[in-house]
Structures are given as structure tokens and as C-alpha cells.
Amino acid sequence: MKKKYTVTDRIITKITGWIAVLTILGLAIWGGVTLYGYYKFEQTNDAQVQEYVNPVISRAGGFIVAVKFEENQPVKKGDTLLIIDNREYKLQVAQTAAAIQKSEAQLQVLESNIYTLERNADAVKAQIKANEAKVLKQKLDYERYTALYKEESATKQKLEDMQAALDISTSDYQTSQESFNAAVSKISAIRAEKSVVMAEITRLKALLARNKLDVDYTVITASYDGRMGRRTVEVGQMIDAGEVLAFIVNNETDKWVVANFKETQIEQMHIGDTVKILADAFPNKEFKGTIISLSPATGSSFSLLPPDNSTGNYVKIVQRVPVRIRVDGDRKEIDVLKVGMNVNVYSPKKQHHG
């Protein structure tokens, strides 16, 4: 018995046929575009956007008294980010400054003592010359009276008086020499002490400079224009020197993409080549990039435990080579690309280089 088709059946059949044709056509176009893309470009989706994301680290410890930023906030170079209680550091500055004043006063006393001793030494030196002349005169007198005594022209008592006078003059001469030597020795000792005090002043001045640096470190500022990332601190929190307090993305450097191409794809890639970048977040927006470097080794070679192919269990695996690509364009346009975003990179094949 011949089956009859209703008008509805014919319409459904026709629509289904057109849908099938359109689906096949769409798949064919998609397949053709894909094949054309693979023919014209070396491409990879193993790529991410990178920027310098640096930690904000405290160089001084203490209680945080103010936090001047919020997460994701843009900042300018020199903007204050955090303030740490600096009272203890200022006290250290005052103590070191007082120690410097004390040492400088001590140095002045020593210099005064040296000046006084030098004047005394000069006086004793003059006295030595006088006593030396006196000894010479007394010696001549004693020799003369000795000759007279032998000729019985002088009494023994007179000769004894001349002997006593010569002994006294000699003793005075020796005493003045000893006084001079003692003064010189004392001057040397004070000068050595002065050197110690001067070295201490130098040390204290260096310590004062360090203490002032510690005071400066209690105000943490942005090192460059950028955008603040995750914030991990709050007012009243006790922190240690070297602790990571926040993260900042550097706006003063380029954005770049690290694309991990297969080793079989990099034959025609060269520094300076222009590539196309499509972000997963913005599939309809095309970005341009320039290859600025190719890694000197595969990614696996830089891993903590690089593969060892000499163990007897060798399986050949296609390796990937990191390619660094600078993102070109106006800063405002490329700022939509955030660190860590996934992108697809297309590098044209058969490029000519002069």
C-alpha cells in the first residue's frame, strides 16, 4: 500500500534537508578555514599574557598605622602605599645623634689636652737646653777648681761645693729630659685615644645614616607607575622586615606573551617577526605582537627535575620551546590583556627576511 505524505511531512522533510545542507556547508567552511589557518600560520593555544608582577616588601618591621591603597588601584611612582609606626626608629636616631655629640665633645677634650701637653713639652725642651748649658758651665768650673786644688790654690771645701753644684745641675738636666720624654709619650697615648674616638664617631655616623634609612623605610612607596594587586595587610598588623605586603603590576614595562610552540613549529620563526594574538576573553579583537626572543632550551629542560633519556625507558615526546612575544599597540588598548590570560598566537609561515 502506497504511503501518503501530508503537507506537514513534506515541509519538515524540506527543512531538515536544508538544515543538513547548511550544517555540512558550515562544517566544510569551518574545516576549510581551519586548514587554511594551519597552512598559513604556525599556531598554539599554549600561551599566556605576562607582565612584571613584583611584591611590595617591607624593609622595616613594626605596626602598620596606615594603608593608603586598595586592591586593583592604579598608583603613580612615589605614591605612599603603607606607613609603619616609626617612633622606635626615631628614638634610635636620637640616641645615635646623642652618642655622636658625646664622642665629639670627648674628641675636643683630647685635642685640648694634646695642645696643653705640647706647650708643656716645648717649655720642658727649652728647660733642657738651659740645664744642658748649666751642666756644661758647672763641669768647666769643677775642672778649673780641680786644677787649682791640685796646685793648692783652692780649698777642698770649694772643690766639694763645685762637685755638688755639678751633681745638682746634672740631676736637673736628667729630670727635665725625663719630663720631656713623659710628655711626648703622653701625647702619643692621647693621639692614639683620639684615633679611637674618631673611628667611633665614623661608626656612629654610619649607624645614624642607617637609623635614618630605617625611618625612611617606615613609609613604603610605589617604585614605579603601576596597578596594585592583592592586598594582604591591614592597619594594626605587626609585620617583619622582608615580609610581602602586596603585589604591584609594573606599567612602565611592556606586556608580553610567552607562547610554547612545538619544536616542529619554530623552524621559520625569527626575532622581529610579527605575529597575531587572539585572547580567549576577546575573541573578536586582534592584537599584534613581535617576537623578541626564543628560549635557549625547551621548557622541560628548565624544570626542577629535567627528563633523563638515558635510563632505558625513552619515549619520544614532542618538546615545546617558549617564545617571548612583545604585545604591540597603544597602552590603553592592550591594557585589557591581564596577566595570566590565555591567548592564541598565530605566526605566519614562509616569511622573508632581508
Side-chain angles (χ1 to χ4, degrees), residues 245-279:
L245 307 177
F247 290 89
I248 182 171
V249 179
N250 192 345
N251 278 353
E252 297 180 2
T253 57
D254 294 324
K255 287 180 188 283
W256 70 91
V257 168
V258 175
N260 298 296
F261 283 94
K262 295 177 182 178
E263 59 185 319
T264 55
Q265 294 180 294
I266 65 170
E267 179 185 0
Q268 298 183 52
M269 293 183 189
H270 301 84
I271 294 174
D273 286 353
T274 300
V275 301
K276 181 173 68 172
I277 301 169
L278 291 179

Side-chain angles (χ1 to χ4, degrees), residues 56-69 78-93 209-222 233 235-243 245:
V56 177
I57 298 176
S58 171
R59 300 181 70 175
F63 283 96
I64 294 177
V65 296
V67 180
K68 300 288 188 178
F69 73 94
D79 284 355
T80 298
L81 303 178
L82 297 145
I83 300 176
I84 300 170
D85 187 358
N86 64 4
R87 288 175 294 179
E88 291 182 7
Y89 296 106
K90 284 187 173 180
L91 284 175
Q92 291 176 355
V93 170
R210 173 55 198 265
N211 290 339
K212 288 180 177 179
L213 273 178
D214 287 337
V215 173
D216 292 340
Y217 292 156
T218 60
V219 178
I220 302 172
T221 60
V233 292
V235 173
Q237 183 175 337
M238 180 70 180
I239 63 170
D240 297 321
E243 189 171 337
L245 307 177

Side-chain angles (χ1 to χ4, degrees), residues 99-111 197 201:
I100 290 174
Q101 289 181 344
K102 179 181 177 181
S103 296
E104 288 177 340
Q106 185 179 358
L107 184 62
Q108 289 180 351
V109 171
L110 293 175
E111 289 175 345
V197 174
I201 290 174

